[in-house]
């Protein structure tokens, strides 16, 4: 089946998405991104409903975005300041926003939403095409942990709070580096299902994608605060610079 960039927005309503991930604090990410952009314009791939784009704009940066889901884009435009963000609807592995940017952002594991290695390589090349010389491409992603699976399946808590619990059920397909996942959000008002598929890649594989796109890795941290990336790190923020 061909890759459909709008599928996520149809399967996960934009309002449910905002509620499910409202517990994520964007402060550290925004502070780091403001430093890396150094006053220049930013383009976010998979901009979604504006969790990072809107606070970046509030910090005085010019922000554009590429979003595959018209529903997510509509939700962003409804929010204060959303009408000032230039949006292109389409697959962020191929869709082009006019202009050159100081920074292109692909946050919250969204690189893994692309269905295969070739499309992920194309995404890196598309990011490089958006960057001015010396510009940066920032990727936030988790580190694959295949040991978490037993007989090809895993169940883990994502959020445990007094008013909501979110679990993630996952099936592993290692021959294709894929995971089929559904997050289950339980609240006092009901149950929400947030399905998503992932084509995962290790950090070194992403580094090679950067090299193929004419970029070199400048930084890799464990998180947005800049903690060192180590053998025990489960997530990473990687910064690639256009040479």
């Amino acid at each position: 089946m061909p890759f459909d960039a709008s599928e996520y927005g149809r399967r996960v309503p934009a309002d449910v998405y905002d509620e499910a991930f409202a517990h994520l604090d964007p402060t550290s990410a925004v502070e780091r991104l403001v430093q890396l952009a150094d006053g220049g314009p930013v383009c976010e791939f998979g901009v979604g409903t504006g969790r990072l784009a809107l606070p970046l704009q509030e910090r005085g940066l010019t922000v554009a975005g590429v979003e595959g889901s018209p529903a997510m884009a509509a939700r962003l435009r409804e929010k204060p300041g959303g009408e000032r963000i230039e949006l292109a609807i389409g697959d962020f592995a191929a869709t082009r926003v006019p202009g050159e940017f100081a920074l292109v952002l692909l946050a919250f594991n969204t690189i893994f939403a692309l269905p295969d290695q070739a499309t992920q390589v194309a995404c890196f090349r598309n990011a490089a095409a958006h960057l001015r010389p010396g510009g940066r491409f920032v990727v936030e992603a988790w580190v694959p942990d295949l040991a978490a699976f037993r007989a090809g399946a895993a169940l883990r808590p994502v959020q445990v709070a007094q008013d909501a619990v979110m679990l993630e059920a996952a099936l592993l397909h290692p021959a294709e580096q894929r995971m089929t996942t559904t997050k289950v959000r339980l609240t006092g008002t009901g149950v929400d299902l947030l399905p998503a598929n992932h084509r995962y890649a290790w950090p070194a594989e992403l580094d090679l994608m950067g090299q193929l796109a004419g970029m070199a890795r400048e930084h890799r941290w464990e998180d947005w605060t800049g903690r060192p990336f180590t053998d025990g790190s489960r997530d990473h923020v990687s910064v690639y610079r256009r040479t």
Side-chain angles (χ1 to χ4, degrees):
M1 180 180 296
F3 174 62
D4 184 350
S6 67
E7 179 182 14
Y8 188 71
R10 290 198 300 268
R11 299 173 69 183
V12 181
D15 57 342
V16 172
Y17 177 89
D18 276 352
E19 292 175 4
F21 298 108
H23 63 285
L24 298 177
D25 184 355
T27 303
S28 295
V30 170
E31 290 296 330
R32 179 66 62 182
L33 292 166
V34 167
Q35 294 173 15
L36 292 171
D38 194 24
V42 175
C43 181
E44 183 176 3
F45 287 180
V47 66
T49 62
R51 184 179 67 91
L52 295 177
L54 289 172
L56 285 171
Q57 182 178 251
E58 290 171 2
R59 294 291 298 271
L61 298 179
T62 299
V63 182
V66 179
E67 175 53 45
S69 165
M72 293 283 186
R75 179 80 169 180
L76 169 56
R77 288 190 175 105
E78 291 171 356
K79 296 180 178 181
E83 74 284 353
R84 300 199 304 273
I85 294 178
E86 181 180 358
L87 288 178
I89 305 299
D91 175 3
F92 57 79
T95 302
R96 187 76 169 83
V97 178
E100 287 189 331
F101 296 86
L103 187 146
V104 173
L105 169 64
L106 186 55
F108 200 38
N109 317 308
T110 308
I111 183 66
F112 299 153
L114 296 170
D116 52 45
Q117 185 184 71
T119 312
Q120 291 170 352
V121 169
C123 175
F124 270 75
R125 286 180 171 145
N126 192 31
H130 281 79
L131 291 173
R132 65 193 187 190
R136 295 179 168 103
F137 180 36
V138 183
V139 178
E140 178 193 18
W142 38 262
V143 179
D145 182 13
L146 306 190
F149 288 79
R150 183 178 178 85
L155 181 66
R156 69 181 184 98
V158 175
Q159 179 197 14
V160 178
Q162 289 186 340
D163 58 350
V165 173
M166 186 155 58
L167 309 173
E168 182 181 68
L171 296 177
L172 181 66
H173 316 282
E176 297 177 335
Q177 289 184 206
R178 287 193 306 106
M179 293 179 187
T180 301
T181 72
T182 295
K183 288 184 174 65
V184 183
R185 183 169 180 262
L186 310 170
T187 67
T189 58
V191 179
D192 293 313
L193 300 179
L194 293 79
N197 295 324
H198 305 270
R199 191 275 169 182
Y200 59 87
W202 278 268
E205 187 179 357
L206 298 179
D207 291 350
L208 182 56
M209 294 181 192
Q211 292 178 38
L212 292 172
M215 297 184 287
R217 194 183 86 211
E218 183 179 37
H219 302 290
R220 172 163 290 136
W221 302 299
E222 181 176 279
D223 57 24
W224 291 108
T225 68
R227 285 191 292 189
F229 183 78
T230 69
D231 291 344
S233 298
R234 299 270 52 88
D235 301 281
H236 66 98
V237 175
S238 297
V239 181
Y240 301 93
R241 196 155 194 173
R242 180 181 165 188
T243 56

